[in-house]
Amino acid sequence: MLTLNRAGTTTGLNVSTPVKQLLDGRGGGTADIAQGGGIPRDRLGGVLADVPRLVGRG
């Protein structure tokens, strides 16, 4: 599960997008809270490394 604070939502970020891109399963939710399937152990490092790019910080 990912959550986003008010400052993040006012900048236009949407946590359901990275959930759908990174986590196995369909995933989804709203702009400020979303959940998806689990991350296979062999993909965990890559998923964590990709988070900054998805939130516009990398």
Side-chain angles (χ1 to χ4, degrees), residues 22-48:
L22 296 175
L23 303 180
D24 284 354
R26 290 180 23 185
T30 63
D32 61 343
I33 188 166
Q35 68 182 36
I39 303 169
R41 181 180 292 192
D42 62 330
R43 287 189 47 222
L44 182 58
V47 168
L48 293 175

Side-chain angles (χ1 to χ4, degrees), residues 2 13 18-19 21-23 39 44-58:
L2 294 176
L13 294 174
V19 165
Q21 291 175 357
L22 296 175
L23 303 180
I39 303 169
L44 182 58
V47 168
L48 293 175
D50 210 21
V51 169
R53 179 189 64 80
L54 290 170
V55 296
R57 306 258 189 245

Side-chain angles (χ1 to χ4, degrees), residues 2-29:
L2 294 176
T3 61
L4 188 63
N5 64 17
R6 184 176 301 178
T9 56
T10 60
T11 63
L13 294 174
N14 183 330
V15 295
S16 71
T17 301
V19 165
K20 290 176 184 177
Q21 291 175 357
L22 296 175
L23 303 180
D24 284 354
R26 290 180 23 185

